[in-house]
Amino acid sequence: MQDHRKLGRELELFDTDPLIGAGLPYWLPAGAALRHALEEYVYDLERQAGYQHVHSPVLGKRELYEISGHWDHYRDGMYPPMRIGAEEVVLRPSLCPHHAIIFRSRGHSYRELPLRIAELGGMYRAELSGVLGGLTRVRSIQLNDAHIFCTQDQVAAEVAASLAMIRRAYRDLAIEPARYRLSLASPDAKYVGSQESWDRAADILRKALADAGLPYDCEEGEAAFYGPKIDVQVADSSEREASLSTIQVDFYQPERFDLGYIGPDNTKHRPVMVHRSVIGGLERLVAHLIETHSGAFPPWLAPVQLAVLPVSEGQIDRAAALVQEATVAGLRAELNSPEGKTTLGARIRQARLVPYLAIIGPAEAASAEVSLRLRDGRQLRSVRPEDALAGILSRVQARSQELW
Ligand SMILES: [Zn+2]
């Protein structure tokens, strides 16, 4: 594994500038392309699983977080309030309160549950500058988040489905968890809600892990202030661990926001909130992807999926036409023209992380074919361009780890 801070800058995925500030990286075009592929992926995964996407503001009144409990229990991680007129607003440290308000804004029947609200939204953490670095510890996070509002009876199935979704995503991303962690309250710390509800939530999480056949560690003191959680831990290049994905069962915020739905008995009932993030914050995920794959991303994630290399000036037009065709077909393609004395070998080495290289020399141009070179060194000679594009597209769409 290589440190993502160095490799990510070399690959021109992201960078930072002291004038923007520590912990506030910006995404360069290649990094933004990778991030966009991840966003599309998770939107689609959630859409297929019955989630509804919303957008909510990154600011909220201080009072919102007083009700949610963040102000009392999480203030150290929050930015100080900004005064505007007679109001105080804060940058949000989480998306839960906004989603609770969105749920509350409409009446709900038990028939609509489980109601799954998802958002890829910004959240902010007042990290001290000493701990900031690269994409792993940042002050501004784009979080893949969702809140499932459901009946008590539905919690276990929603937790199991969320866990399955996380495992599916890790397969597609070709990453491995370092371990699963059941994060519980510490006996001496201050938490909210009744012991009985904490025990019930922990039992559900424990059973979901056991049913999935996953080994896990229990860790006291790692719970959220409102409930226990499953954390999926990943390790970085220096074996430091961080939580990427999470599933949390919360009986507390529904109380605080007085959430309700009308049951079959025509009276108001309290839903449970399941908080879950499949791929976590995009910054941390991309840091992990860079390190795990050493920049050689699976084809569906690669910032450039196909580079077209004309051997000499004479094939540039043909190469440019293939780039255009590939782009229209939905691939991220790039033309690597001969420049000055750069040899073809040097250009191939420069593009060594690109999964597919189409090389067009005089012979290929004459027969209207390409030579397709795969990142693993395999070479497919005399391929028709339409077959090359169809072969690449099918593997990208299937999120295959196999190049061919
Ligand atoms: Zn939440």
Side-chain angles (χ1 to χ4, degrees), residues 11-286:
L11 300 176
E12 298 192 13
L13 298 174
F14 71 92
D15 214 333
T16 48
D17 188 288
L19 206 48
I20 297 177
L24 298 168
Y26 54 88
W27 300 76
L28 291 161
L34 169 55
R35 172 171 152 175
H36 190 76
L38 292 166
E39 290 175 356
E40 273 189 339
Y41 169 71
V42 79
Y43 271 124
D44 208 44
L45 197 65
E46 288 172 339
R47 191 183 54 77
Q48 288 179 35
Y51 285 75
Q52 303 177 56
H53 290 99
V54 297
H55 291 294
S56 56
V58 298
L59 292 165
K61 276 167 72 175
R62 169 178 153 171
E63 196 185 343
L64 179 66
Y65 301 95
E66 287 171 353
I67 294 172
S68 71
H70 287 86
W71 188 255
D72 270 352
H73 299 275
Y74 193 68
R75 201 182 317 168
D76 290 348
M78 291 170 66
Y79 281 86
M82 291 171 267
R83 189 165 276 288
I84 173 162
E87 290 171 346
E88 278 190 323
V89 293
V90 293
L91 278 167
R92 66 177 169 193
S94 80
L95 281 64
C96 339
H98 284 90
H99 289 187
I101 297 285
I102 289 172
F103 179 85
R104 198 174 71 176
S105 67
R106 302 283 179 275
H108 297 288
S109 143
Y110 70 96
R111 290 194 186 84
E112 293 167 61
L113 307 186
L115 197 143
R116 307 178 185 94
I117 293 180
E119 179 171 359
L120 241 172
M123 56 170 269
Y124 301 85
R125 236 176 234 166
E127 301 265 22
L128 296 174
S129 57
V131 302
L132 298 171
L135 293 175
T136 40
R137 294 294 288 269
V138 291
R139 287 173 165 164
S140 161
I141 297 164
Q142 280 298 311
L143 184 69
N144 156 240
D145 203 7
H147 295 89
I148 303 164
F149 300 86
C150 62
T151 69
Q152 307 256 3
D153 294 344
Q154 292 167 335
V155 177
E158 290 305 311
V159 169
S162 299
L163 196 52
M165 213 166 161
I166 291 171
R167 298 177 74 195
R168 150 94 192 267
Y170 280 45
R171 266 199 306 280
D172 288 339
L173 296 163
I175 56 175
E176 292 276 347
R179 64 187 176 113
Y180 292 86
R181 184 176 81 185
L182 181 60
S183 302
L184 303 167
S186 76
D188 47 345
K190 187 177 130 213
Y191 289 93
V192 295
S194 71
Q195 185 61 45
E196 187 268 327
S197 65
W198 275 79
D199 292 345
R200 193 149 35 106
D203 283 345
I204 292 168
L205 297 174
R206 212 175 270 124
K207 186 167 181 313
L209 286 162
D211 288 350
L214 296 170
Y216 62 93
D217 301 319
C218 286
E219 225 155 282
E220 290 186 340
E222 292 292 342
F225 69 83
Y226 47 76
K229 55 192 175 113
I230 293 172
D231 290 315
V232 186
Q233 304 293 102
V234 293
D236 72 8
S237 56
S238 27
E239 298 294 311
R240 262 191 313 261
E241 234 187 48
S243 304
L244 188 61
S245 318
T246 188
I247 307 172
Q248 316 174 354
V249 176
D250 176 9
F251 296 99
Y252 176 74
Q253 291 190 61
E255 287 288 333
R256 298 285 295 172
F257 284 101
D258 191 24
L259 305 184
Y261 67 90
I262 301 299
D265 58 358
N266 257 327
T267 66
K268 185 179 159 180
H269 295 261
R270 190 77 74 202
V272 183
M273 249 171 114
V274 177
H275 309 234
R276 58 103 280 215
S277 177
V278 172
I279 58 171
L282 288 174
E283 290 79 9
R284 185 171 283 178
L285 172 63
V286 169

